[in-house]
Amino acid sequence: MKPLIFAICLLLAPFGARACDLALLLAVDVSGSVDPEEYRIQMDGLAAALRDGIVADALVEQRAQVALLQWTGSSRQKQTVAWTGMHSHADVLALAEIVAQDPRIWRNFSTAIGEALIVGQRAFDAVSHCTKWVIDVSGDGISNEGVEPSAQRAALNNAQITVNAIAIETDQTDLTGYFYENLITGPGAFVVTADGFEDYPAQIRRKLRRETTKQVTVLSE
């Protein structure tokens, strides 16, 4: 190989070979407790959070892959937005528009969080080249059908998949506590609490900022 061509290849290789640093699966609750207005709040809130400058910058910086899963009762979980590479801010804005327009495919069914996790884990087979895998679960109720979410923790940990959650509190149930004890798993896993659906847009933006930006640990002397 000629010296000039070799030098150009060396310069371009890191960019062409740059891996995906984050695969983020947005798992949205479409169970019977979520009415049409609340579904719209979730999708519009997610779209707005993706458009947030800090989130968009982080997704592009990490060459993230992002997809969306709608979930409800047993055997009713479907990836409705395919894995999409975030290589530019235009990609992020396009994805946000797709999310905002994503039609609801189920209503009036139960809440099977464990089965949503099973389907979510399988979805990462398509993005195995990424270096970090995260399921972002939004929900307004505890699991009441199918496999218990806690039963999936071992499989998720073995697959090195992190599960974070946003608990949409709508009654006296301590959903935040339930998610801490039964749902989230993986290094640094966390729960964000939304005080009703009206608080969801602000909290999902906060959650995506935390999920997508690289955390820096400051060591004390």
Side-chain angles (χ1 to χ4, degrees):
M1 182 181 293
K2 294 182 179 180
L4 179 58
I5 297 176
F6 179 72
I8 293 173
C9 289
L10 285 176
L11 289 171
L12 295 179
F15 298 94
R18 185 173 177 182
C20 156
D21 292 336
L22 172 67
L24 177 63
L25 180 64
L26 305 169
V28 178
D29 183 356
V30 296
S31 59
S33 59
V34 178
D35 67 28
E37 181 181 355
E38 291 165 346
Y39 173 76
R40 179 46 42 207
I41 289 172
Q42 284 191 95
M43 305 310 282
D44 288 346
L46 268 176
L50 289 167
R51 296 185 188 106
D52 177 80
I54 293 174
V55 174
D57 285 348
L59 291 173
V60 173
E61 179 186 358
Q62 297 181 72
R63 293 293 194 270
Q65 291 281 337
V66 183
L68 187 139
L69 174 79
Q70 292 188 31
W71 64 271
T72 175
S74 295
S75 304
R76 291 181 174 88
Q77 301 84 28
K78 183 176 181 181
Q79 187 176 328
T80 57
V81 176
W83 290 109
T84 307
M86 302 290 97
H87 304 299
S88 68
H89 284 80
D91 291 334
V92 180
L93 294 176
L95 175 67
E97 185 62 26
I98 291 170
V99 168
Q101 299 300 322
D102 194 34
R104 184 175 187 167
I105 56 176
W106 289 296
R107 65 184 71 242
N108 301 324
F109 289 101
S110 299
T111 304
I113 302 176
E115 296 194 23
L117 296 176
I118 292 172
V119 174
Q121 180 175 342
R122 292 173 184 158
F124 288 110
D125 290 344
V127 285
S128 59
H129 62 289
C130 296
T131 56
K132 182 179 180 181
W133 305 274
V134 176
I135 302 177
D136 177 329
V137 178
S138 297
D140 75 336
I142 66 173
S143 191
N144 57 24
E145 187 174 87
V147 179
E148 287 295 322
S150 57
Q152 295 307 116
R153 276 177 162 161
L156 291 162
N157 288 333
N158 288 338
Q160 298 182 325
I161 295 170
T162 296
V163 179
N164 299 321
I166 177 167
I168 308 169
E169 299 281 6
T170 59
D171 53 31
Q172 297 306 308
T173 301
D174 180 13
L175 188 60
T176 299
Y178 174 82
F179 280 176
Y180 267 114
E181 294 174 6
N182 298 277
L183 175 57
I184 66 169
T185 192
F190 65 93
V191 180
V192 167
T193 303
D195 185 15
F197 278 90
E198 61 276 9
D199 190 35
Y200 177 87
Q203 298 307 324
I204 194 63
R205 182 176 68 249
R206 175 179 163 225
K207 184 171 188 289
L208 286 186
R209 283 183 174 186
R210 183 170 173 181
E211 266 170 343
T212 59
T213 56
K214 294 183 178 180
Q215 303 300 311
V216 177
T217 302
V218 179
L219 299 177
S220 59
E221 292 285 340

